[in-house]
């Protein structure tokens, strides 16, 4: 340990000179201050763990499809920190009932990639983040999850609860479909499947409740220019076998039917008149 004593206005000069002389006689330069040992480098995984909730900081992905995805990303990625990370890679969709470990697997996949030297950026959004980002527009499912899907219903509940907790007042939309479009769907399905049996009364009544009357739709957004991309995205979603019907239509017919996105506006602070054709009307 070394020290340097300098003469300050209220310091006893001779004592300082004597101590500095003792240090010099032992081959110690009084003018050299002690140096801290070099800090150990902080790994990307350690940095990530500082941002990951405590319960997931030791998460390890073990679901076969998740680990297979991580392996594919790792093979395609370039190791850091010298080179760039993933420029482009396949998406990972983890779906299932609440409480089945989806979040654990997601954080496990992130931690696994970082531990293998893959550079990546990731972000987890929570209710608290809504206060930070303060979105102008929020889109979610309606109270019935459009057609009663339990995951969609839960997504609706969580989104609306988060908005209430944060006391934000953006424009809020629920996805929906005009009843006239639902009727058109039925006609096209019978066109492609002429032997399709008629639904029983209970099923027919449930189908009739999907969507809203046309005059209750507040927002009609023409997305015809992007219908080809929507078709390709649906074709890439291999696990959604029930949607193969739409793929059989071909891109042109698909665009005719799916070229309009419709919503019902349930919260608004702009006073913009409806019907509207832009989710950001009154905000631009």
């Amino acid at each position: 340990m070394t020290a340097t004593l300098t003469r300050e206005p209220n310091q006893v000069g001779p004592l300082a000179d004597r101590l500095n002389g003792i240090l010099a006689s032992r081959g110690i330069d009084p003018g050299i201050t002690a140096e801290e040992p070099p800090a150990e480098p902080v790994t990307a995984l350690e940095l990530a763990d500082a941002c990951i909730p405590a319960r997931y900081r030791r998460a390890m992905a073990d679901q076969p499809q998740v680990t297979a995805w991580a392996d594919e990303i790792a093979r395609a990625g370039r190791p850091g920190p010298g080179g760039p990370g993933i420029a482009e890679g396949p998406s990972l969709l983890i779906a299932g009932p609440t409480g089945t470990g989806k979040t654990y697997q997601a954080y496990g996949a992130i931690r696994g990639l970082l531990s293998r030297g893959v550079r990546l950026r990731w972000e987890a959004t929570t209710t608290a983040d809504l206060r930070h980002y303060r979105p102008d527009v929020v889109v979610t499912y309606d109270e019935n999850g459009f057609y009663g899907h339990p995951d969609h219903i839960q997504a609706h509940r969580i989104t609306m609860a988060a908005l209430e907790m944060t006391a934000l007042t953006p424009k809020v939309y629920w996805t929906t479909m005009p009843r006239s479009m639902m009727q058109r769907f039925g006609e096209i399905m019978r066109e492609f499947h002429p032997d399709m049996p008629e639904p029983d009364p209970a099923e027919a009544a449930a189908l009739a409740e999907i969507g809203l009357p046309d005059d209750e739709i507040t927002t009609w957004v023409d997305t015809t220019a992007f219908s080809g991309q929507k078709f390709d995205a649906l074709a890439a979603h291999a696990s959604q076998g029930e949607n193969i019907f739409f793929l059989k239509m071909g891109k042109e017919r698909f665009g005719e039917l799916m070229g309009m996105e419709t919503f019902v506006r349930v919260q608004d602070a702009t006073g913009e008149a409806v019907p509207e054709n832009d989710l950001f009307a009154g905000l631009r």
Side-chain angles (χ1 to χ4, degrees):
M1 179 176 181
T2 61
T4 299
L5 299 179
T6 57
R7 185 175 299 174
E8 299 295 338
N10 297 324
Q11 189 177 27
V12 180
L15 177 59
D17 290 340
R18 183 179 178 185
L19 289 174
N20 284 338
I22 293 173
L23 292 172
S25 67
R26 296 180 179 179
I28 301 173
D29 185 352
I32 299 177
T33 58
E35 294 183 1
E36 294 293 331
E40 292 293 327
V42 179
T43 67
L45 181 56
E46 289 172 328
L47 291 173
D49 279 342
C51 303
I52 292 175
R55 63 186 299 185
Y56 301 117
R57 286 178 187 163
R58 296 296 178 265
M60 296 179 62
D62 56 8
Q63 204 280 341
Q65 291 173 296
V66 175
T67 56
W69 174 84
D71 288 342
E72 183 177 355
I73 293 296
R75 286 194 298 269
R78 298 180 183 179
I86 295 295
E88 185 175 344
S91 300
L92 173 66
L93 174 66
I94 306 178
T98 301
T100 54
K102 300 186 298 297
T103 305
Y104 181 93
Q105 295 293 330
Y107 279 122
I110 291 170
R111 297 185 71 255
L113 287 171
L114 291 171
S115 67
R116 295 165 72 172
V118 177
R119 300 179 66 211
L120 55 88
R121 291 182 179 180
W122 61 276
E123 183 174 318
T125 302
T126 66
T127 299
D129 292 324
L130 287 177
R131 294 191 180 96
H132 173 71
Y133 291 110
R134 304 191 66 83
D136 293 317
V137 175
V138 173
V139 180
T140 187
Y141 294 101
D142 63 15
E143 295 164 306
N144 191 45
F146 184 55
Y147 59 91
H149 195 298
D151 289 347
H152 297 179
I153 294 172
Q154 185 68 355
H156 162 85
R157 291 172 178 167
I158 291 171
T159 302
M160 299 309 294
L163 289 169
E164 183 177 353
M165 290 171 62
T166 53
L168 297 176
T169 56
K171 298 179 76 176
V172 179
Y173 294 90
W174 293 348
T175 56
T176 189
M177 187 173 290
R179 297 266 168 83
S180 62
M181 190 178 294
M182 289 301 299
Q183 182 179 354
R184 181 63 178 144
F185 274 150
E187 294 171 355
I188 292 177
M189 287 185 71
R190 283 188 289 274
E191 177 185 331
F192 279 87
H193 302 282
D195 56 346
M196 184 175 65
E198 291 293 329
D200 61 49
E203 185 180 357
L207 290 173
E209 292 299 313
I210 295 178
L212 289 174
D214 289 34
D215 59 0
E216 293 183 22
I217 304 293
T218 64
T219 311
W220 304 71
V221 181
D222 185 355
T223 60
T224 305
F226 306 99
S227 60
Q229 292 168 252
K230 291 167 64 176
F231 184 93
D232 292 339
L234 186 61
H237 201 355
S239 65
Q240 293 289 77
E242 67 270 20
N243 287 328
I244 297 300
F245 159 73
F246 296 108
L247 300 178
K248 291 180 180 178
M249 298 168 58
K251 280 191 177 182
E252 184 175 351
R253 194 74 179 276
F254 179 88
E256 293 174 2
L257 188 63
M258 304 292 285
M260 184 69 69
E261 298 283 348
T262 51
F263 309 84
V264 57
R265 194 174 78 189
V266 296
Q267 182 173 309
D268 174 58
T270 67
E272 192 71 13
V274 293
E276 60 187 0
N277 60 9
D278 182 355
L279 295 180
F280 290 89
L283 296 170
R284 297 184 186 278

